[in-house]
Amino acid sequence: MITLEQAREKLQKYGQEHVLKYYEELDDGRRQALLAQIEGTDLSRVEACKHPEDLLQRGVITPLASMQLGEIEANREDFTAVGLEAIRTGRVGAVLLAGGMGTRLGSDDPKGMYNIGVTRKLYIFQCLINNLMDVVKEAGNFIHLFVMTSDKNHDATVNFLQEHDFFGYDGKYVHFFKQEMAVACDYQGKIYLEEKGKMSTSPNGNGGWFVSLKRAGLLDLVHKEGIEWLNVFAVDNVLQRIADPCFIGAVIERDCSVGAKVVRKNAPDEKVGVICLEDGRPSIVEYYDLTQELMDAKDENGDPAYYFGVILNYLFRTADLEALLSSLPLHVVEKKIPYLDEGGNLVKPTSPNGYKFENLVLDMIHQLPSCLPYEVVREKEFAPVKNPTGIDSVESARELLRLNGVEL
Ligand code: UTP
C-alpha cells in the first residue's frame, strides 16, 4: 500500500491534491481505503477530458450491407436449425449488461428492478427472463447467463433475482460478475469526491464486459462448457430476443466474428449508432458523428447507405474476442455525478455536471475482422427504457409490449 506522501505525490502530478482535503478527519479504516483507491486509480485517464479531440479520430466511412428481412425469411428454417443445434450442444451463452447507473430513468434501484407492469408486477429483469425462456423451451435446455453488475448495484441485483427465484430460470445457469469502476470529474477535470474518504466513481462503461468476465474467472467456465458464442445484450430493451436461434444460425452460416442486430432507422437523423465500415473494418458511427453527407448517401440499390441502427444485441465469437490485442478507445461522457460541495455536503445534481470515462461495447466491433448486421423488426424487438416519459421511455416501451401481446 502506498504511503500518504506517495499518494500526495501521485495526485500532485495530475493537479488532484484536493482529493486529500478531508484526510485528517478520517478514521484509520477510511484513510487506508482512500490510499488504496488512489493507488489503484489510473489518474491519467482523467486527462482525456482536457483533449477530447485526440480521443476518437474517425477513419474513412463506407457502407456495410445488412442482411435484410427478405433474406432472413427465405433462410429462416435453415438458420434456425443451425442456431438451435448450437444452443442444444451448449455452444451459446448470454451476457446481460446490467452495470449501468440508469441515471436518465432516475430510480435508485438497478434498472432491471423497475416495475413496468400496470395492473400487475412485471419487472424489467422478468421481461428479459421470460423472453429467454421462450428459447430455453424451444431448445429444451438452459443457457448460461452471465450478468454484469457494478459495485453500485451488485448486491441489490443479486438479492432481487434470488428473492424472485430468477423468475423461473435455473439459478445454476446464472453467473454474476462485477465490472470495473472509473473516477468521475468536473468540467475542469478535477476529480469529484463522493464521500470525504472516497473519490467519485462510476461503472467504466459496457465495453469492459469481456475483461471483467475474464477477471472474475468466468472465462474458465466458458472454456469448460465449450461456449463458443456469447450473446451480449442491454438490460433496458424489454422486447429483447435473447439467444435468438435464427440470428445465431445466420452468424454461424455467414462465418462472421460478430453479428449485430440492427433496425431500420425511423428518420435519417434518428439518434442511434449506424453500422458501417471504417477503414475497411466493421464499425459503428455514432449519430453525432453522422454528417449530412453520410445521411444522404445511397448504396448501389439507391437505398440510404447508412440506415441500420444498432440496438445493443451482439453475438460475439468468443475465440475472436480472446485474440483482441489493443485496448478500447476511451469515451468522455457528460453525466450527472453526485459530489461533495465546498461545505462537505452531498449534492445530487439534476443536470449533468461533469465527465465520466467509458469504454463502449460498440468499439469491440471495429477490432473484429467481420460483422453480420442482421435486420430485425423494430416494433417486435426494440423497446428501450431509457427515460420515464417521451422517446425510449417507460411509456413507449409499455405501448410496444402491449402491441406484442404482453399483459401489463
Ligand atoms: P446506457 O448507455 O443506457 O447507460 O447503457 P446507463 O448508464 O445504464 O444509463 P444512463 O445513461 O445513465 O441513463 C446501455 C446498457 O449498457 C449497460 C447498461 O446497464 C445498459 O444495459 N451498461 C452501461 C453497463 O453495463 N455498464 C456501464 O458502465 C454502462
Side-chain angles (χ1 to χ4, degrees), residues 116 122-132 238 401 406:
I116 196 151
L122 180 64
Y123 302 100
I124 290 184
F125 279 138
Q126 189 177 3
C127 284
L128 298 174
I129 299 276
N130 288 349
N131 296 350
L132 182 54
V238 286
L401 282 168
V406 177

Side-chain angles (χ1 to χ4, degrees), residues 97-105 111 148 179 203-206 234-236 312 335 358 386:
L97 302 177
M101 305 262 284
T103 49
R104 281 168 289 173
L105 189 58
K111 204 183 257 189
M148 182 166 85
Q179 68 177 105
N204 68 343
N206 55 30
V235 70
D236 43 37
L312 222 176
K335 294 257 179 169
E358 298 191 339
K386 302 281 187 195

Side-chain angles (χ1 to χ4, degrees), residues 21-22 38 66 78 89 103 119-120 132 144-145 156 175 184 199-200 212 228 246 270 276 280 282 323 338 347 361 375:
K21 181 174 169 186
Y22 299 104
I38 295 167
S66 292
D78 272 2
T89 49
T103 49
T119 61
R120 63 168 184 138
L132 182 54
H144 284 283
L145 173 64
H175 316 279
M199 295 186 276
S200 271
S212 302
E228 290 171 14
C246 188
E270 194 195 356
C276 62
V347 180
V361 66
E375 185 185 9

Side-chain angles (χ1 to χ4, degrees), residues 2 35 87 89 126 137 152 162 193 198 226 229-231 233-234 265 268 275 307-309 344 349 357 362 400 402 404:
I2 53 172
L35 292 180
I87 295 170
T89 49
Q126 189 177 3
K137 283 179 195 144
K152 305 263 177 191
Q162 282 174 347
L193 290 179
K198 190 164 189 266
W229 297 94
L230 286 170
N231 184 196
F233 62 100
K265 291 209 299 187
I275 200 104
Y307 223 63
F308 288 94
F357 300 87
L362 54 83
L400 285 160
R402 284 198 190 97
N404 283 281

Side-chain angles (χ1 to χ4, degrees), residues 55-210:
L55 284 177
L56 298 167
Q57 303 285 4
R58 302 247 50 148
V60 177
I61 306 290
T62 50
L64 169 62
S66 292
M67 179 183 273
Q68 300 187 21
L69 296 175
E71 187 179 355
I72 294 170
E73 279 320 308
N75 293 282
R76 181 166 290 281
E77 233 174 88
D78 272 2
F79 290 160
T80 304
V82 172
L84 279 176
E85 170 64 14
I87 295 170
R88 287 182 181 132
T89 49
R91 287 182 287 134
V92 179
V95 181
L96 165 56
L97 302 177
M101 305 262 284
T103 49
R104 281 168 289 173
L105 189 58
S107 159
D108 283 340
D109 288 331
K111 204 183 257 189
M113 283 172 63
Y114 193 88
N115 173 21
I116 196 151
V118 179
T119 61
R120 63 168 184 138
K121 289 217 160 71
L122 180 64
Y123 302 100
I124 290 184
F125 279 138
Q126 189 177 3
C127 284
L128 298 174
I129 299 276
N130 288 349
N131 296 350
L132 182 54
M133 281 303 289
D134 289 346
V135 179
V136 166
K137 283 179 195 144
E138 190 179 359
N141 60 294
F142 279 93
I143 293 162
H144 284 283
L145 173 64
F146 302 91
V147 182
M148 182 166 85
T149 61
S150 82
D151 273 348
K152 305 263 177 191
N153 69 11
H154 182 81
D155 294 346
T157 302
V158 174
N159 292 341
F160 180 80
L161 285 171
Q162 282 174 347
E163 272 163 23
H164 288 88
D165 282 330
F166 300 96
F167 296 104
Y169 212 73
D170 184 340
K172 285 201 295 293
Y173 286 82
V174 182
H175 316 279
F176 295 95
F177 66 103
K178 278 197 220 176
Q179 68 177 105
E180 264 57 62
M181 305 295 281
V183 284
C185 65
D186 68 12
Y187 288 125
Q188 279 68 48
K190 295 274 183 218
I191 296 172
Y192 278 123
L193 290 179
E194 63 183 23
E195 287 171 27
K196 290 186 172 175
K198 190 164 189 266
M199 295 186 276
S200 271
T201 58
S202 62
N204 68 343
N206 55 30
W209 73 269
F210 191 67

